[in-house]
Amino acid sequence: MIFLTALPLFWIMISASRGGHWGAWMPSSISAFEGTCVSIPCRFDFPDELRPAVVHGVWYFNSPYPKNYPPVVFKSRTQVVHESFQGRSRLLGDLGLRNCTLLLSSLSPELGGKYYFRGDLGGYNQYTFSEHSVLDIINTPNIVLPPEVVAGTEVEVSCMVPDNCPELRPELSWLGHEGLGEPAVLGRLREDEGTWVQVSLLHFVPTREANGHRLGCQASFPNTTLQFEGYASLDVKYPPLIVEMNSSVEAIEGSHVSLLCGADSNPPPLLTWMRDGVVLREAVAESLFLELDEVTPQEDGVYACLAENAYGQDNRTVGLSVMYAPWKPTVNGTVVAVEGETVSISCSTQSNPDPILTIFKEKQILATVIYESELQLELPAVTPEDDGEYWCVAENQYGQRATAFNLSVEFAPVILLESHCAAARDTVQCLCVVKSNPEPSVAFELPSRNVTVNETEREFVYTERSGLVLTSILTLRGQAQAPPRVICTSHNLYGTKSLELPFQGSHRLMWAKIGPVGAVVAFAILIAIVCYITQTRRKKNVTESPSFSAGDTPPVLFSSDFRISGAPEKYESERRLGSERRLLGLRGEPPELDLSYSHSDLGKRPTKDSYTLTEELAEYAEIRVK
């Protein structure tokens, strides 16, 4: 917007045209408020040699040619005008001074248009000038905004109204400027074509909140009811500000997640969803959704929304936490250790939230942590009892996973107490039970015969391994004489162990050989023997003791009361006896054990009053080896 206070160009041209040419100068356009007046400045010239006595002039409306019969606005000769201009037009200038300025009053919209001036010097010296002025009848002030209004940068807004009515002067005021600034009225200014305007300025620093604000200007004319208002909306440019976004989001694995980002800016921003620098989605919009279908733990993380336009940018982030069950635990650490060493085992997993980690062995909790992803198990000075299968279990509210692992403890051989020898008739069987890791070699030594039999001699030795326990059975036949000394020797890379195997009564070997069916038969024989001896003793007691009463209850004998003389109590357990039966029964044809006695054998036994029933049963049930 340029305001010129110097003389307008058209007046300069008039001053320079005194050369005697036909010509006219007037503003190409002029405006005025409806109901007010307007003064159209005009000057004309003609050749000097004409020297007319009287100069007349005519103003036409919308056409310069009389033959077209245009409406006459003003005519100096006759004062006859078109009805639209009666009482509304008069000449302000002096035609003799070549001033043709026209005043129009009580303006109405139909008076808007082109106005032409025709000079009349008498006779044929008449000339219609092609120059004309366009009158614009307005009813709103003109608010002029800068080409660009940027938030934070001071701007100047002007209100301009025409001031070309000498009878009415406008007064300006601002509407809706509260909070923006105080206006400053510059007053009446001359335009470059000789017209006048009234100007008021408003300076302020706009904010983003001022965008779209409706700013008004009012022109009023004192002592009249005329009042005109004009409005303009502020188009404030400002950088984006993200105003809408999800807070931290938690989602279960496999569910659907929708992330929203909304920004306020002018012009609209370019919204971009990113993760780890990778663009996931972008669009020019005020809001943008990021849709994630069937989320996985790999999509857990921080998502960023970037909003930008030509005036700046903004960004915000949102965390997505994908909740899922623990992964299968991973076990790292020692799986093979030597007895006495310290073992460290680490169990780790991944889940959200962090799990409860527990290490079990045979349903016994060895270590546990809560809400941690790693568990450390320390076993100082491991023993063979630490050998075995362990479980690492990870669980949270979304599921449970487990991993099994084995700890192998290596140690020198240990010969267990159940190792022994037993004889039956002409057969000797020796049982050597060894616990060790790794598997040992086992050999049987007969010192009296200077013979060593190892496990590779399958004709004499049978070997079976169960877990850490190795059992070897040595079978010697044709041993009618006294049983030989037998030494069991076991060896692995951690050491050697030897033990002279003790001999146990032949009765135990017998029960192991005969098995369940034989045991039933033997028990039946024992019952028969008991009945026979009971009857014999009853007859004897009746003969020797007349005080014997037939109603006395005979003593009752249970199988648990039967004991073989010299056998240790601990070898009577059912578990070990069953094991020996199973292992000894693996040989081909075990020696037959004779449990039958003839009546002649019973008759040859000495009869002693000091014998008890238990001693008789033991003696009759004893297996004769020698």
Side-chain angles (χ1 to χ4, degrees):
M1 179 179 62
I2 302 174
F3 301 107
L4 300 179
T5 56
L7 289 175
L9 178 62
F10 112 83
W11 296 120
I12 298 176
M13 294 177 64
I14 288 177
S15 300
S17 65
R18 296 295 183 179
H21 300 284
W22 290 100
W25 293 265
M26 63 187 72
S28 60
S29 64
I30 192 169
S31 59
F33 283 106
E34 182 180 358
T36 64
C37 66
V38 62
S39 173
I40 303 176
C42 174
R43 294 185 67 83
F44 67 98
D45 198 10
F46 51 86
D48 292 337
E49 62 269 18
L50 294 181
R51 299 181 184 276
V54 179
V55 178
H56 290 280
V58 180
W59 280 95
Y60 291 116
F61 181 64
N62 279 339
S63 177
Y65 305 110
K67 63 181 180 179
N68 294 332
Y69 301 102
V72 176
V73 177
F74 174 81
K75 189 173 184 180
S76 60
R77 283 184 181 273
T78 63
Q79 302 295 319
V80 176
V81 298
H82 188 271
E83 59 182 357
S84 299
F85 295 95
Q86 289 181 0
R88 292 184 172 184
S89 61
R90 62 189 178 97
L91 193 66
L92 292 181
D94 185 350
L95 296 179
L97 299 177
R98 304 181 186 188
N99 187 334
C100 51
T101 300
L102 176 68
L103 177 66
L104 298 175
S105 303
S106 302
L107 296 176
S108 59
E110 66 269 15
L111 300 185
K114 298 177 181 179
Y115 288 84
Y116 294 88
F117 179 69
R118 177 180 176 84
D120 182 5
L121 304 183
Y124 293 101
N125 295 320
Q126 297 182 12
Y127 189 86
T128 299
F129 301 97
S130 60
E131 293 84 359
H132 64 276
S133 183
V134 179
L135 175 61
D136 183 22
I137 308 299
I138 64 175
N139 53 23
T140 58
N142 181 28
I143 299 178
V144 181
L145 296 171
E148 186 176 73
V149 179
V150 180
T153 303
E154 186 180 37
V155 297
E156 177 186 276
V157 180
S158 61
C159 178
M160 302 176 61
V161 295
D163 189 8
N164 296 302
C165 178
E167 300 173 356
L168 296 173
R169 299 294 183 187
E171 293 183 353
L172 299 180
S173 60
W174 288 94
L175 305 175
H177 70 288
E178 295 81 5
L180 297 179
E182 292 299 323
V185 179
L186 293 182
R188 192 166 183 256
L189 296 178
R190 189 188 187 96
E191 295 183 297
D192 52 0
E193 288 191 332
T195 58
W196 295 86
V197 292
Q198 192 74 245
V199 180
S200 179
L201 302 179
L202 183 65
H203 291 87
F204 61 94
V205 178
T207 62
R208 66 173 56 243
E209 291 75 19
N211 182 47
H213 182 77
R214 199 161 179 257
L215 186 64
C217 179
Q218 183 183 79
S220 58
F221 294 85
N223 302 320
T224 70
T225 59
L226 298 175
Q227 198 173 71
F228 303 92
E229 295 179 355
Y231 292 90
S233 294
L234 297 178
D235 184 20
V236 182
K237 309 296 184 182
Y238 54 91
L241 177 65
I242 296 178
V243 296
E244 187 176 13
M245 196 168 186
N246 303 76
S247 57
S248 295
V249 177
E250 288 187 357
I252 300 175
E253 182 179 10
S255 63
H256 176 82
V257 173
S258 180
L259 301 179
L260 170 63
C261 179
D264 173 39
S265 72
N266 187 27
L270 172 65
L271 292 177
T272 305
W273 275 108
M274 304 175 66
R275 180 171 180 255
D276 297 333
V278 178
V279 175
L280 304 177
R281 191 183 179 195
E282 63 179 2
V284 176
E286 294 182 355
S287 62
L288 182 65
F289 282 94
L290 178 63
E291 306 289 347
L292 300 175
D293 295 323
E294 298 182 355
V295 292
T296 65
Q298 288 71 28
E299 293 175 291
D300 187 288
V302 177
Y303 291 77
C305 176
L306 175 65
E308 56 184 338
N309 63 11
Y311 301 95
Q313 65 178 22
D314 188 22
N315 67 83
R316 285 180 60 185
T317 60
V318 58
L320 172 61
S321 181
V322 179
M323 318 300 286
Y324 58 97
W327 292 358
K328 187 176 179 64
T330 301
V331 177
N332 296 317
T334 306
V335 293
V336 178
V338 179
E339 182 180 11
E341 291 183 344
T342 298
V343 171
S344 177
I345 297 174
S346 173
C347 174
S348 61
T349 186
Q350 184 175 329
S351 70
N352 192 14
D354 285 332
I356 299 175
L357 275 172
T358 307
I359 294 181
F360 294 88
K361 182 177 187 289
E362 298 176 354
K363 298 183 180 181
Q364 180 182 0
I365 297 177
L366 302 180
T368 186
V369 291
I370 299 176
Y371 305 138
E372 292 187 21
S373 59
E374 184 173 357
L375 172 60
Q376 198 81 13
L377 175 63
E378 295 285 344
L379 298 175
V382 291
T383 65
E385 286 69 27
D386 295 319
D387 188 286
E389 184 181 57
Y390 292 73
W391 284 89
C392 179
V393 179
E395 60 181 332
N396 62 13
Q397 61 264 45
Y398 300 102
Q400 181 189 83
R401 295 295 297 275
T403 297
F405 62 96
N406 286 288
L407 172 61
S408 178
V409 178
E410 297 185 342
F411 53 95
V414 176
I415 299 177
L416 303 182
L417 294 178
E418 51 258 50
S419 302
H420 66 279
C421 290
R425 291 187 180 180
D426 61 347
T427 301
V428 173
Q429 287 190 323
C430 294
L431 188 71
C432 187
V433 184
V434 181
K435 185 176 183 180
S436 74
N437 189 23
E439 182 176 342
S441 62
V442 176
F444 295 92
E445 181 183 357
L446 284 70
S448 61
R449 302 182 186 181
N450 197 23
V451 173
T452 299
V453 181
N454 59 41
E455 57 191 352
T456 60
E457 300 182 62
R458 301 299 178 88
E459 182 181 356
F460 303 101
V461 179
Y462 172 79
T463 301
E464 182 184 78
R465 184 174 178 86
S466 176
L468 298 178
V469 177
L470 183 139
T471 304
S472 291
I473 303 174
L474 171 67
T475 302
L476 301 175
R477 302 181 187 278
Q479 305 295 322
Q481 66 277 17
R485 290 175 58 218
V486 178
I487 298 176
C488 175
T489 301
S490 179
H491 171 78
N492 67 7
L493 59 90
Y494 296 106
T496 302
K497 185 71 173 178
S498 297
L499 176 67
E500 182 174 346
L501 302 179
F503 270 85
Q504 296 182 359
S506 58
H507 309 287
R508 298 181 60 83
L509 187 57
M510 172 191 69
W511 293 109
K513 287 289 186 178
I514 64 177
V517 176
V520 173
V521 175
F523 187 71
I525 294 173
L526 288 174
I527 294 298
I529 295 171
V530 169
C531 292
Y532 175 78
I533 295 174
T534 302
Q535 290 177 0
T536 302
R537 290 178 60 86
R538 189 173 296 172
K539 290 178 181 181
K540 181 178 179 181
N541 291 336
V542 168
T543 303
E544 296 180 357
S545 178
S547 63
F548 175 79
S549 173
D552 290 344
T553 303
V556 179
L557 179 67
F558 296 94
S559 60
S560 61
D561 296 330
F562 179 69
R563 297 288 184 269
I564 299 176
S565 175
E569 185 69 19
K570 59 186 175 181
Y571 294 126
E572 295 298 317
S573 66
E574 182 179 350
R575 179 184 63 82
R576 293 183 178 177
L577 181 58
S579 176
E580 292 173 12
R581 290 173 180 170
R582 178 176 61 81
L583 292 171
L584 292 173
L586 293 174
R587 296 294 299 175
E589 297 179 358
E592 295 182 359
L593 302 179
D594 187 7
L595 294 176
S596 63
Y597 292 88
S598 64
H599 291 289
S600 58
D601 291 330
L602 293 173
K604 295 178 182 179
R605 291 193 51 80
T607 301
K608 296 182 181 180
D609 295 337
S610 60
Y611 277 12
T612 64
L613 178 60
T614 303
E615 291 170 339
E616 289 176 348
L617 285 174
E619 185 172 355
Y620 278 103
E622 182 178 3
I623 301 174
R624 290 173 294 177
V625 177
K626 295 182 181 180

